[in-house]
Amino acid sequence: MMNKLIVGRFVPKDSFVHRMDARAKVLLSIAYIFIIFEVTNWLGYLIMGLFTIAVTSLTKVSLKTYIQGIKPLIWLITFTVFIQMFFAPSGHVLWNYWIFKVTDIGLLNAVYVLVRFILIIMMSTVLTLTTSPLAIADALEYLMKPLLKIKFPVYEVSLMLSIALRFVPTLMDETERIMNAQRARGVDFANGGIIKRVKALVPILIPLFTNAMKRAIELGDAMEARGYQIDKPRSRYRILVWHRRDTMACLVFGLLLIILIIIKHFI
Amino acid sequence: MGIKFESVSFTYQPQTPFAYQALENVSLEIPTNSYTALIGHTGSGKSTILQLLDGLLIPTEGLITVNDCRITPQTKQKTLATVRSQVGMVFQFPENQLFEQTVLADVMFGPLNFGKSKEAASRLAKEALRLVGLPDDLWQQSPFELSGGQMRRVAIAGVLALEPKILVLDEPTAGLDPKGRLEIMQMFAQLYQAKKLTVILVTHQMEDVLRYANNVIVMDTGKVVKTTTPLTLFADEKWLKQHQLATPKVIQFVQKMKQNGIELTALPTNVTELADLLMQKIKIEGDRQNDE
């Protein structure tokens, strides 16, 4: 079940995108979300779509993997699209029932939302497939550094973040193991109504939480045993280096934004 | 009857960049009422086999028969409950599956899931707890207040309370002290005798393989490389070395003696047997010297 989740998993490979600086990738992924909201017409979406597919092909990971990455989120997407479709504020009414009404503008918005969703998921998948979780945490630490001025605990937060990311696969494996153990004792996760299924979660969640606690305590002990102290300046093992390809990627994104703005205002 | 794998292959996460083939065209047979040890190095596919024969995984290719249940790649999740009701699985570190408020309730959990009444489940649970030797003043306590060894016993009782005909043990004594290890393995051996079970044991302890099992399957990188009896397996020193498997201490002892010119009449499976064989030998030698 959990193995199907592609978003959030790292595929080590050697590609242009893999070699990029994690900071550049995080920044550009955020920029991408802002850029996509600048797009308001079909030509713009076409360019965005082609651009995104070009980026995915630069990662040397097959397009099929990205499509699989969209699948688990299909319900979220459908829900949002339907909300857009049925609750459009204005436009020419095409269909009407009780409080639902479908208008031409609503329909168009729904399709826009759908495309936006898919593109954003694909781009976020590019980030997580090509960047190790620890590199993302490092990048976020670096990007949060200005917050040190307002006494925000940047180092602690980034340490928490890297630990959390580090333990995601461990917890997933553990969940799978506990699920198997309880299934072997006759718990049925596949059948039954919603109440029965929610009840079936208790025998998973309690062992999972107790084990996570135990692990956290052990980790804390191990860190203290090696002299970890909060509030002390830290040296780092992995050093992020900004290369020319990162600047280039930023320039390409800038160019994309300019093209899209031109399309929006002049076509 | 029994358990049969016919050209079974299994791939984790097929058709993704993370695809990993754990089993490749595995055919094996585990006879009913045998005590089969499944050995091999980490990553050789032992755990995958266990999960397949309990219907926790579905084969990518091939056919698995467990008594009269057939599992093929087309089998639906919903029909696997029948397989699971016949197979009792003791996972690695089974104490991680405890969750109920009292020890007794946790052991009753399995029987209740498989449709037993409350009375029947409670009777089965008490029986199982007695079997694993957990003192009854602990039965109403929270399982999380027990020691590691006691938690292990509760978890094993939770599986035994299902009264499985096939008992699957995945390194059941890992992390226990020698005394606890011996007690638990003896308990399984008695149960095997008394209830005519089919036991499948995954272990790295060659001593246990020699002592308790009567059938061995050796796995290597997703394939079965040998099916034999423990004594034949451990007699073949060269083959063991080739596959980097350890030789049990008693066998090592016999081999050392052989190097020094003393040969025993049979191979022992445990220390007591070794002692008996040695006594025999001494007696024979003594008689011969007396005759001279």
Side-chain angles (χ1 to χ4, degrees), chain B:
Chain B
M1 281 309 222
I3 297 162
K4 213 166 161 188
F5 279 52
E6 288 167 59
S7 16
V8 172
S9 296
F10 185 82
T11 307
Y12 284 100
Q13 307 186 39
Q15 283 141 35
T16 68
F18 314 101
Y20 169 70
Q21 184 167 27
L23 291 184
E24 198 186 325
N25 203 10
V26 166
S27 295
L28 58 85
E29 205 166 338
I30 298 171
T32 307
N33 206 9
S34 71
Y35 196 130
T36 301
L38 196 57
I39 57 177
H41 294 286
T42 315
S44 59
K46 293 166 295 175
S47 294
T48 311
I49 288 201
L50 297 191
Q51 291 181 45
L52 281 167
L53 68 84
D54 196 16
L56 295 170
L57 295 176
I58 290 177
T60 322
E61 271 170 68
L63 167 70
I64 299 166
T65 332
V66 178
N67 288 339
D68 34 12
C69 301
R70 290 159 55 86
I71 309 173
T72 63
Q74 282 77 41
T75 305
K76 291 264 168 331
Q77 277 288 340
K78 301 189 178 187
T79 56
L80 293 169
T82 21
V83 181
R84 288 183 198 142
S85 65
Q86 298 176 35
V87 180
M89 271 287 259
V90 176
F91 282 88
Q92 266 175 51
F93 300 102
E95 56 272 26
N96 286 346
Q97 73 194 34
L98 302 175
F99 73 99
E100 272 284 8
Q101 288 172 350
T102 67
V103 166
L104 191 66
D106 206 288
V107 180
M108 282 168 67
F109 179 67
L112 286 176
N113 279 328
F114 282 116
K116 291 272 189 302
S117 72
K118 253 206 166 118
E119 291 73 37
S122 147
R123 184 177 51 77
L124 287 168
K126 284 175 182 161
E127 233 168 77
L129 283 167
R130 260 181 227 119
L131 220 49
V132 296
L134 196 81
D136 54 8
D137 52 316
L138 298 177
W139 293 2
Q140 293 305 328
Q141 275 196 31
S142 158
F144 296 104
E145 287 166 2
L146 304 180
S147 75
Q150 288 169 329
M151 280 170 84
R152 177 77 54 98
R153 279 160 204 265
V154 174
I156 291 173
V159 176
L160 294 181
L162 303 171
E163 294 194 297
K165 287 317 268 169
I166 300 170
L167 187 60
V168 178
L169 311 168
D170 191 356
E171 298 194 46
T173 57
L176 291 185
D177 56 25
K179 184 169 163 274
R181 218 179 96 191
L182 187 70
E183 280 172 5
I184 296 232
M185 287 314 291
Q186 293 285 9
M187 191 261 306
F188 285 133
Q190 277 163 20
L191 213 61
Y192 165 68
Q193 295 283 348
K195 300 217 168 164
K196 301 232 178 312
L197 302 179
T198 307
V199 176
I200 299 155
L201 170 72
V202 165
T203 185
H204 290 290
Q205 307 287 341
M206 297 304 151
E207 267 75 22
D208 289 346
V209 175
L210 182 64
R211 184 161 187 181
Y212 301 107
N214 46 36
N215 186 19
V216 188
I217 297 172
V218 187
M219 302 276 309
D220 195 4
T221 55
K223 292 185 194 115
V224 173
V225 286
K226 211 180 186 78
T227 308
T228 178
T229 62
L231 279 177
T232 359
L233 175 74
F234 293 124
D236 194 346
E237 223 181 316
K238 224 173 102 193
W239 196 87
L240 287 174
K241 232 189 198 134
Q242 243 173 38
H243 289 82
Q244 294 175 324
L245 293 169
T247 312
K249 291 243 159 58
V250 275
I251 302 275
Q252 279 178 23
F253 188 88
V254 173
Q255 284 163 352
K256 275 254 164 70
M257 292 217 308
K258 201 172 156 187
Q259 277 166 19
N260 292 310
I262 306 167
E263 272 198 64
L264 296 178
T265 45
L267 278 178
T269 63
N270 57 46
V271 182
T272 325
E273 273 184 41
L274 176 65
D276 287 347
L277 284 168
L278 281 173
M279 285 302 287
Q280 247 176 26
K281 185 81 186 167
I282 291 167
K283 229 171 143 188
I284 294 170
E285 292 285 314
D287 287 350
R288 208 163 60 197
Q289 271 170 13
N290 281 345
D291 289 348
E292 282 165 8

Side-chain angles (χ1 to χ4, degrees), chain A residues 71-241:
Chain A
K71 268 189 208 156
L73 298 167
I74 203 83
W75 290 111
L76 183 70
I77 297 174
T78 321
F79 179 73
T80 322
V81 166
F82 272 89
I83 293 269
Q84 280 291 330
M85 209 162 98
F86 288 129
F87 299 104
S90 61
H92 176 65
V93 178
L94 301 174
W95 183 79
N96 200 333
Y97 179 76
W98 191 34
I99 54 166
F100 302 112
K101 73 181 175 229
V102 176
T103 68
D104 52 354
I105 292 181
L107 210 57
L108 197 66
N109 274 341
V111 178
Y112 281 166
V113 164
L114 177 73
V115 176
R116 251 180 228 161
F117 239 118
I118 290 174
L119 289 180
I120 289 176
I121 292 169
M122 277 173 87
M123 198 47 113
S124 328
T125 314
V126 167
L127 173 69
T128 55
L129 280 181
T130 64
T131 322
S132 82
L134 286 177
I136 295 181
D138 282 351
L140 289 176
E141 175 179 333
Y142 191 90
L143 296 173
M144 284 191 301
K145 258 187 190 162
L147 295 175
L148 274 175
K149 289 218 174 83
I150 54 163
K151 300 251 164 66
F152 183 78
V154 170
Y155 296 116
E156 284 73 32
V157 168
S158 92
L159 179 72
M160 273 164 56
L161 207 67
S162 14
I163 291 174
L165 287 170
R166 158 66 188 77
F167 279 99
V168 167
T170 314
L171 284 176
M172 277 197 173
D173 285 350
E174 179 120 355
T175 313
E176 184 113 27
R177 260 202 301 279
I178 294 170
M179 271 178 85
N180 271 342
Q182 308 298 23
R183 276 202 295 192
R185 290 210 282 169
V187 178
D188 191 351
F189 299 109
N191 295 320
I194 183 117
I195 294 178
K196 206 178 147 214
R197 287 195 197 195
V198 170
K199 265 189 174 167
L201 284 180
V202 176
I204 301 175
L205 289 180
I206 292 177
L208 196 61
F209 272 111
T210 35
N211 292 338
M213 289 289 192
K214 258 189 238 158
R215 199 171 285 125
I217 292 168
E218 276 166 19
L219 182 68
D221 286 346
M223 283 168 70
E224 272 175 14
R226 291 190 219 173
Y228 175 83
Q229 273 176 302
I230 221 159
D231 292 337
K232 288 277 151 60
R234 318 202 57 73
S235 60
R236 45 186 42 262
Y237 175 61
R238 294 173 300 271
I239 292 170
L240 297 171
V241 188

